[in-house]
Structures are given as C-alpha cells and as structure tokens.
Amino acid sequence: ELAQRMAERAVDLVKFFMKQGQMMKPGDVIDADTAELIAVEFGHTVKRVAESDVEEGMFNIEDRSEDLQSRPPVVTIMGHVDHGKTSTLDAIRDARVASGEAGGITQHIGAYQVEHNGQKITFIDTPGHAAFTQMRARGAQVTDIAILVVAADDSVMPQTIESISHAKAAGVPIIVAINKIDKHEADAQKVRNQLLQHDVFVESMGGEVLDVEISATKKLNIDKLLEAVLLQAEILDLKANPDRTAEGVVIEAKLDKGRGSVATVLVNTGTLNVGDIIAVGNEWGRVRALVNDGGEQIKSAGPSMPVEILGLQGTPQAGDRFAVVENEAKAREISDYRQRLAREKAVARQAGQRGSLEQMMSQLQTSGLKQFPLIIKGDVQGSVEAINVALDKLGTDEVRARIVHSGAGAITESDISLAETSGAVILGFNVRANKQARAAADQDGIEIRYYNIIYDLVDDIKQAMSGLLSPER
Ligand code: GDP
C-alpha cells in the first residue's frame, strides 16, 4: 500500500528493507515511523495524518451557551424478557396515533418521536440493552434516560439487574415502569423493595428514582410515564445548538434492495439538511433524501430527531458517528483513513493483542486509577454474594475492586459487551461462557477467567491488587 501511494514498485521497497537487514514481503505491517523513513528515503514529502487532523472540523466546534436550546430526551426501554418492553413501546406509539398527530406511524426506522404536553420525546425502538451496549461499545452514547420495565407479577429478574448495571455503567438515569398492574397477582411494592437491593431507590422509598405503575396492554398510566420522562429530562437540562452543521449517531443501518444504503441516525447537535455531505463511520455520502418516522420526506432534521438518510456510498454500523463535512474530498479522505485504521486494527487483533488481567493492571498503574472493574458470574446467588463480600474486604484506601455487575447464570454476550464498555475482566465461578459469548470475547479481546474455588479467585485478585500497589513490579 505504501509503495502504491508513492507510485513505486513494491519489490523496490522489499529490496530497501533487505539492505537494512529486514525481511519483508508485501502485506506485512510496518509502523508509522518506519513508513515515514522510507517515504523520505524515496524522495517523498511526508504529511503525518493523525485522527485529529483528518477530523479537523468534526466534533470540535464549541457551542456558545447562548446558542444552546432545549432538545427532546432520547429514551431506551430495558428490562427482563416478557416484562412488557415491546408492549410499552407499542402503547406509547399508539398514544401518538390516537392523538391524531400528523403522519401517524407507518414504518419502523429504529426510533420514533412522540409529543406529550407540547414537548417531544424520542424513543429508541429496539427494546433491551443489547443495542444500548453495542452502541456504547462503539463509543456512542445516544440514550439520555432508560425506562426500566419490571413486571409486577414477576418482580426483579436477572435481566432487570443486568439492565440496571448497564444504565449505571453508562451514567444514564433510570425511570422504573412497574408494568402489568392490571393483573391480580401484581405486587408493585415488592418490586420497589427488591429494587432497593440493587441500589435503585424510588421516591417513595426515600430515593430520587421516578417510578410509575402502568399497564402496557390496558394502556393505563402511559401519560404518567411520559410525564415522568419529561420531568427527568427537565432535571437533566438537555441542550443542543440547532444552528450549526449536524453531528449524530447511527442507530440502525441496512442495505435496501431498492433504496441502497439506508441509515437511521439521531442528530445530536446541529441540523442535518438534504444535500449535506457527511462522513459516517468508515463511509461517506451526500444526503439525497431524509425520511422521518412517519415515512414522509423532509428537508431537514434537528437535534434528537430520528431520521433515515438515503444516498450513502456504503452501509455504516449502528453506533457509528456522523458529521457534516465541507466537501466530498474531505469526506473521502476521512473514510479512507478510517477504513485503513479499521484494517490495521483487525491485523493487530489477529496478531493476538489481547486484553488480560495483567495488561489491565499495568494500564491502571500508568493511569493512576486505583480501582479495577470486574464482572462476576456464579452458579448460584449465594456464591456470587460470598465472592462480592470477599472482594470488597480486599479493598484498601489505595486500591479496590469495582464490581460492575454480578449475578447467577452463564456468561452471556451481554456480559461481554458490558465488559467492553466498562473495561472489566469477567470472572466465572462454576459457570462457563456460552458459545456466542465465547465468540464475542474472542473477537473483542475480553478476558474471561474461570474458577471453581472461591479462595483461588480471591487470591488471584489479591495478587493483581498487590501488583498495583508496588510500582516496581
Ligand atoms: P418484552 O419481552 O419485554 O418485550 O415483553 P412483551 O411486550 O412482548 O410482553 C410479554 C407478554 O406480556 C405479552 O404476552 C404481553 O401481552 C404481556 N403484557 C405486557 N404488558 C402487559 C400488561 O400491562 N398487562 C398484562 N396483563 N399483560 C401484559
């Protein structure tokens, strides 16, 4: 690739390396310094391109506070399977159609907006935390508020706890929707009590987390839930500047037979217009058309507004960021650069650069952060609790374990994505990772350690901690 860029023959580069005593063949990877040396040697002028150079003009415009205006909150619905996430999303969507709002909802684009008391709210249309964490793993945070749906006849379950961990790791406030209150076995108070054990304190229990009793299928208190969202949004004081070039995040993307690459994006800031040129993930394109959640073509989309973009050259991925750039050349330069970066990363991964407990320790050491994130999965709740207590006791003023998430059950993909976003190592006690989780861990370079004796587990972590304490190690 370097030879090609210099319009030289690859064989001449190989010869040059040989003279230096290095055996290289086309396709081998060299570092930036070596590349620069060679380019200069071959009589070329080198311009080092860092990410910050390429992306100059992207993500770096500071907004003046007087330009900021309120923007709608972006909400994700999370919770245990069958607790009513989809039903809640449907109930909210139906409320909009019932209110006779223009357009109604005719198509699924990955997110939709409703209006309540004259204020807009954006809902991510994919329930569950998988989408949420995948996006975060790609460095994008789109969710402002998480609605945690808990069925009142089933109370707190494993995925409820997972959802809490995900929201907490992301620093996203939770609103609890206690669902299925129409059922005669519903026990809302039990839900509140159980949430306490997971550090979710609802208002009536002396905390600050808003909770609403709803029935998604009977459409009870859906308006109260929306009011709670707006109240929480007010507390968060969400703002953006609509009068600037747009930036945002892809929440869904696909290759459509008839329409080509289609990406649904959420505008974070600025206003996106038809005709804008955008760089998005490793791709770019000129916005040929914008389609809203009602299936209507629109000319522009402002902050927190979900919209489909048509006209991209390739299909980006969920979680990719986009920004409007000044011209096509710039857009191409950015996508070329990012594609190259992605290739290099893939090569590095193949070369076996894996995260490990040791690596994490040395990273923490250099960053000076003396706590390390762990995810604990065990066969039964009792052993998980015992491990938590033992690890907690290990902590000193200088260094301590931070349990990002713990629970009973096999290690799943959700644990892997949580590990990736929080930088945690996963410890399995008498449990294994399922097949998908193993594949994901392999791909993302997440370390999973297995134990069947609590003492061994605690001792390992103790060793690692003492490594953190003595800088000479
Ligand atoms: P999800 O897996 O969390 O998306 O849950 P769903 O929305 O698919 O709901 C699971 C089941 O619970 C479905 O059979 C729903 O009809 C039922 N359900 C959801 N909300 C309610 C409710 O408020 N009351 C009652 N009685 N059933 C509900």
Side-chain angles (χ1 to χ4, degrees):
E1 193 178 328
L2 180 61
Q4 215 169 36
R5 279 178 177 254
M6 297 191 301
E8 303 283 350
R9 293 186 317 161
V11 59
D12 291 335
L13 262 75
V14 173
K15 272 192 201 149
F16 176 83
F17 273 111
M18 248 151 71
K19 272 194 231 151
Q20 311 286 318
Q22 263 180 299
M23 296 307 288
M24 285 280 183
K25 57 183 188 313
D28 284 351
V29 178
I30 54 174
D31 63 36
D33 289 335
T34 313
E36 177 165 357
L37 192 88
I38 289 171
V40 171
E41 203 64 38
F42 278 77
H44 296 270
T45 341
V46 172
K47 189 172 143 235
R48 279 275 185 126
V49 189
E51 178 115 24
S52 56
D53 293 333
V54 176
E55 304 197 344
E56 199 186 337
M58 292 178 71
F59 316 128
N60 64 355
I61 306 170
E62 286 277 329
D63 287 312
R64 291 174 308 174
S65 58
E66 62 261 37
D67 295 331
L68 294 175
Q69 293 178 22
S70 287
R71 65 169 177 85
V74 179
V75 183
T76 301
I77 301 207
M78 303 205 271
H80 194 70
V81 63
D82 280 346
H83 277 199
K85 298 180 293 293
T86 311
S87 306
T88 303
L89 277 164
D90 289 346
I92 294 165
R93 191 196 279 113
D94 289 351
R96 159 176 159 164
V97 176
S99 76
E101 218 180 292
I105 304 250
T106 53
Q107 67 178 100
H108 169 98
I109 65 167
Y112 66 81
Q113 229 173 26
V114 295
E115 205 170 295
H116 188 71
N117 295 342
Q119 286 169 286
K120 291 194 165 79
I121 305 169
T122 303
F123 284 91
I124 303 288
D125 212 357
T126 336
H129 49 253
F132 179 79
T133 24
Q134 261 165 29
M135 256 184 246
R136 280 200 71 225
R138 300 182 64 78
Q141 168 123 350
V142 293
T143 302
D144 299 309
I145 297 167
I147 293 183
L148 179 67
V149 175
V150 190
D153 61 340
D154 203 23
S155 206
V156 171
M157 295 301 276
Q159 285 168 288
T160 315
I161 302 168
E162 263 177 44
S163 302
I164 294 169
S165 302
H166 282 290
K168 284 200 169 157
V172 170
I174 292 171
I175 293 176
V176 179
I178 304 176
N179 190 30
K180 307 198 187 184
I181 49 153
D182 57 296
K183 287 195 154 184
H184 71 270
E185 62 268 44
D187 186 349
Q189 196 51 37
K190 184 174 164 201
V191 173
R192 294 190 186 93
N193 288 335
Q194 289 197 348
L195 285 173
L196 275 183
Q197 291 167 20
H198 300 282
D199 290 331
V200 175
F201 300 97
V202 300
E203 275 187 314
S204 60
M205 309 291 276
E208 285 172 357
V209 175
L210 303 174
D211 66 305
V212 186
E213 292 182 19
I214 64 164
S215 165
T217 45
K218 295 267 183 314
K219 301 201 170 50
L220 281 174
N221 289 346
I222 299 300
D223 51 343
K224 286 217 177 85
L225 181 61
L226 296 178
E227 265 147 42
V229 169
L230 289 174
L231 184 63
Q232 185 68 54
E234 207 178 302
I235 296 166
L236 293 174
D237 195 24
L238 304 165
K239 290 198 162 141
N241 174 8
D243 301 316
R244 51 167 287 179
T245 54
E247 288 175 11
V249 178
V250 174
I251 52 175
E252 248 185 48
K254 58 174 188 248
L255 187 61
D256 188 297
K257 262 202 187 129
R259 303 189 296 165
S261 287
V262 181
T264 299
V265 300
L266 266 184
V267 175
N268 287 146
T269 184
T271 298
L272 182 65
N273 298 298
V274 172
D276 281 348
I277 294 164
I278 62 169
V280 50
N282 300 338
E283 312 294 339
W284 70 278
R286 179 188 290 271
V287 179
R288 196 171 70 227
L290 294 172
V291 180
N292 71 9
D293 55 5
E296 303 154 323
Q297 292 225 5
I298 52 174
K299 291 218 160 58
S300 60
S304 298
M305 178 160 183
V307 68
E308 269 187 345
I309 298 179
L310 274 63
L312 296 178
Q313 300 294 314
T315 312
Q317 293 181 34
D320 279 345
R321 295 186 54 79
F322 82 84
V324 171
V325 295
E326 68 259 39
N327 55 39
E328 224 176 273
K330 184 89 191 171
R332 277 178 200 276
E333 187 188 353
I334 293 170
S335 80
D336 278 358
Y337 173 75
R338 286 182 174 168
Q339 278 174 14
R340 198 168 70 239
L341 213 64
R343 272 200 304 278
E344 280 166 12
K345 275 196 186 139
V347 169
R349 241 199 325 267
Q350 270 171 12
Q353 289 180 358
R354 308 268 313 268
S356 69
L357 196 56
E358 285 74 24
Q359 264 179 27
M360 184 170 84
M361 290 310 149
S362 69
Q363 261 172 28
L364 288 172
Q365 210 158 40
T366 41
S367 69
L369 196 72
K370 301 282 175 143
Q371 51 163 300
F372 56 93
L374 297 169
I375 292 172
I376 320 274
K377 291 305 278 281
D379 51 347
V380 290
Q381 194 56 35
S383 52
V384 173
E385 265 155 35
I387 291 167
N388 280 352
V389 170
L391 290 179
D392 203 45
K393 279 204 194 120
L394 285 182
T396 65
D397 287 346
E398 282 177 77
V399 53
R400 56 180 51 255
R402 181 164 65 85
I403 315 287
V404 179
H405 173 66
S406 67
I411 296 161
T412 63
E413 263 182 298
S414 165
D415 297 317
I416 308 296
S417 56
L418 186 59
E420 191 172 10
T421 43
S422 57
V425 164
I426 300 173
L427 308 179
F429 180 75
N430 281 339
V431 291
R432 311 296 300 175
N434 66 27
K435 204 168 143 217
Q436 294 92 323
R438 278 202 305 275
D442 265 0
Q443 201 198 324
D444 300 340
I446 301 296
E447 187 181 22
I448 306 176
R449 296 198 156 209
Y450 300 104
Y451 300 89
N452 42 33
I453 298 171
I454 293 189
Y455 174 82
D456 287 347
L457 183 154
V458 175
D459 199 49
D460 245 20
I461 301 303
K462 197 168 159 183
Q463 297 283 337
M465 277 183 167
S466 62
L468 257 189
L469 284 172
S470 53
E472 55 276 284
R473 213 196 95 176

